[in-house]
Coordinates of all heavy atoms in Angstrom, one line a residue:
Chain J
D768 N 51.3 -0.3 25.1 CA 50.8 0.3 24.0 C 51.9 1.1 23.2 O 51.8 1.3 22.0 CB 49.6 1.3 24.3 CG 48.3 0.5 24.7 OD1 48.4 -0.7 24.6 OD2 47.4 1.1 25.2
I795 N 36.6 2.4 22.2 CA 36.9 3.1 23.5 C 37.8 2.3 24.4 O 37.5 1.1 24.6 CB 35.7 3.6 24.2 CG1 34.9 4.6 23.4 CG2 36.0 4.3 25.6 CD1 35.5 6.0 23.1
G796 N 38.8 2.8 25.0 CA 39.7 2.1 25.9 C 41.0 2.8 25.8 O 41.2 3.7 25.0
C797 N 42.1 2.5 26.6 CA 43.3 3.1 26.5 C 43.9 2.9 25.1 O 44.4 3.8 24.5 CB 44.3 2.4 27.5 SG 43.9 2.7 29.3
S798 N 43.8 1.6 24.6 CA 44.4 1.3 23.3 C 43.7 2.1 22.3 O 44.3 2.4 21.2 CB 44.3 -0.1 23.1 OG 43.1 -0.6 23.5
S799 N 42.4 2.5 22.4 CA 41.7 3.1 21.3 C 42.0 4.5 21.1 O 41.5 5.1 20.2 CB 40.2 2.9 21.6 OG 39.7 1.6 21.4
H814 N 32.3 2.9 22.2 CA 32.8 1.6 22.7 C 32.3 0.4 22.1 O 31.0 0.2 22.0 CB 32.3 1.6 24.2 CG 33.0 0.7 25.2 ND1 34.3 0.2 24.8 CD2 32.8 0.3 26.4 CE1 34.7 -0.5 25.8 NE2 33.8 -0.6 26.8
T837 N 41.3 -2.0 18.9 CA 40.3 -2.3 19.9 C 41.0 -3.0 21.0 O 42.2 -3.4 20.9 CB 39.2 -3.1 19.2 OG1 38.2 -3.4 20.2 CG2 39.8 -4.4 18.7
G838 N 40.3 -3.0 22.2 CA 40.8 -3.7 23.4 C 40.1 -5.0 23.6 O 39.1 -5.3 23.0
D839 N 40.5 -5.7 24.7 CA 39.8 -6.9 25.0 C 38.4 -6.7 25.5 O 37.5 -7.5 25.3 CB 40.6 -7.8 26.1 CG 41.2 -6.9 27.2 OD1 41.6 -5.8 26.9 OD2 41.2 -7.4 28.3
G840 N 38.2 -5.6 26.2 CA 36.9 -5.2 26.6 C 36.0 -4.7 25.4 O 34.9 -5.1 25.2
D841 N 36.6 -3.8 24.6 CA 35.9 -3.2 23.6 C 35.5 -4.2 22.5 O 34.4 -4.2 22.0 CB 37.0 -2.2 23.0 CG 36.3 -1.2 22.0 OD1 35.5 -0.4 22.4 OD2 36.8 -1.2 20.8
A842 N 36.5 -5.1 22.2 CA 36.2 -6.0 21.1 C 35.4 -7.2 21.5 O 34.6 -7.8 20.8 CB 37.5 -6.6 20.5
I845 N 31.5 -5.4 24.9 CA 30.4 -4.6 24.3 C 30.4 -4.7 22.8 O 29.3 -4.7 22.2 CB 30.7 -3.1 24.8 CG1 29.4 -2.3 24.5 CG2 32.0 -2.5 24.2 CD1 29.4 -0.9 25.2
F865 N 44.2 -5.3 21.2 CA 45.1 -5.2 22.3 C 44.6 -5.9 23.6 O 43.7 -5.4 24.1 CB 45.3 -3.7 22.6 CG 46.1 -2.8 21.6 CD1 45.6 -2.8 20.4 CD2 47.2 -2.2 22.0 CE1 46.3 -2.0 19.4 CE2 47.9 -1.5 21.0 CZ 47.4 -1.3 19.7
N867 N 45.2 -6.9 27.0 CA 45.8 -6.7 28.4 C 45.1 -7.4 29.5 O 45.5 -7.3 30.7 CB 46.1 -5.3 28.7 CG 44.9 -4.4 28.7 OD1 43.7 -4.9 28.6 ND2 45.0 -3.1 28.8
I869 N 42.4 -6.9 30.9 CA 41.9 -6.0 32.0 C 41.2 -4.8 31.3 O 41.5 -4.5 30.2 CB 43.0 -5.5 32.9 CG1 42.5 -5.0 34.2 CG2 43.9 -4.5 32.2 CD1 42.2 -6.1 35.2
Y870 N 40.4 -4.2 32.0 CA 39.8 -2.9 31.6 C 40.7 -1.8 32.0 O 40.7 -1.5 33.2 CB 38.4 -2.6 32.1 CG 37.2 -3.4 31.5 CD1 36.0 -3.3 32.0 CD2 37.5 -4.3 30.5 CE1 34.9 -4.0 31.4 CE2 36.4 -5.1 30.0 CZ 35.1 -5.0 30.4 OH 34.1 -5.6 29.9
G871 N 41.5 -1.3 31.1 CA 42.5 -0.3 31.6 C 41.9 1.1 31.8 O 41.9 1.6 33.0
L872 N 41.2 1.6 30.8 CA 40.6 2.9 30.9 C 39.7 3.2 32.1 O 39.7 4.3 32.7 CB 40.0 3.3 29.6 CG 39.6 4.8 29.4 CD1 41.0 5.6 29.3 CD2 38.7 5.1 28.3
T873 N 39.0 2.2 32.4 CA 38.0 2.4 33.6 C 38.7 1.9 34.9 O 38.0 1.7 35.9 CB 36.7 1.6 33.3 OG1 37.1 0.3 32.9 CG2 35.9 2.2 32.3
S878 N 38.2 -8.4 32.7 CA 37.7 -8.3 31.3 C 37.4 -9.8 30.8 O 37.6 -10.7 31.5 CB 38.7 -7.7 30.4 OG 39.6 -8.7 29.8
Q944 N 49.4 -7.4 25.5 CA 49.9 -6.1 25.8 C 49.9 -5.9 27.3 O 48.9 -6.3 28.0 CB 49.0 -5.1 25.1 CG 49.2 -3.7 25.6 CD 48.0 -3.0 26.2 OE1 46.9 -3.2 25.8 NE2 48.3 -2.2 27.1
Chain P
E1284 N 23.4 6.2 21.0 CA 24.8 6.6 21.3 C 25.6 6.9 20.0 O 26.4 7.9 20.0 CB 25.5 5.4 22.0 CG 26.9 5.8 22.6 CD 27.7 4.7 23.0 OE1 27.5 3.5 22.6 OE2 28.8 4.9 23.5
Ligands
TPP327 C1 28.8 2.7 26.3 C2 30.0 2.8 27.2 N1 30.1 1.9 28.2 C3 31.1 2.0 29.1 C4 32.2 2.8 28.9 C5 33.3 2.8 29.8 N2 34.5 2.1 29.3 C6 35.4 2.8 28.6 S1 36.7 1.8 28.1 C7 36.0 0.5 28.9 C8 36.7 -0.8 28.9 C9 37.9 -0.8 28.0 O1 38.6 -2.0 28.2 P1 39.5 -2.5 27.0 O2 38.7 -2.6 25.7 O3 40.1 -3.8 27.4 O4 40.5 -1.3 26.8 P2 41.8 -0.9 27.6 O5 41.5 0.2 28.3 O6 42.2 -2.1 28.5 O7 42.9 -0.7 26.5 C10 34.8 0.8 29.4 C11 34.1 -0.1 30.2 C12 32.0 3.6 27.7 N3 33.0 4.5 27.4 N4 31.0 3.5 26.9

Side-chain angles (χ1 to χ4, degrees):
Chain J
D768 292 353
I795 297 291
C797 295
S798 41
S799 287
H814 203 15
T837 180
D839 43 321
D841 193 62
I845 194 165
F865 289 58
N867 54 10
I869 198 81
Y870 287 180
L872 191 68
T873 46
S878 90
Q944 173 240 323
Chain P
E1284 190 196 10

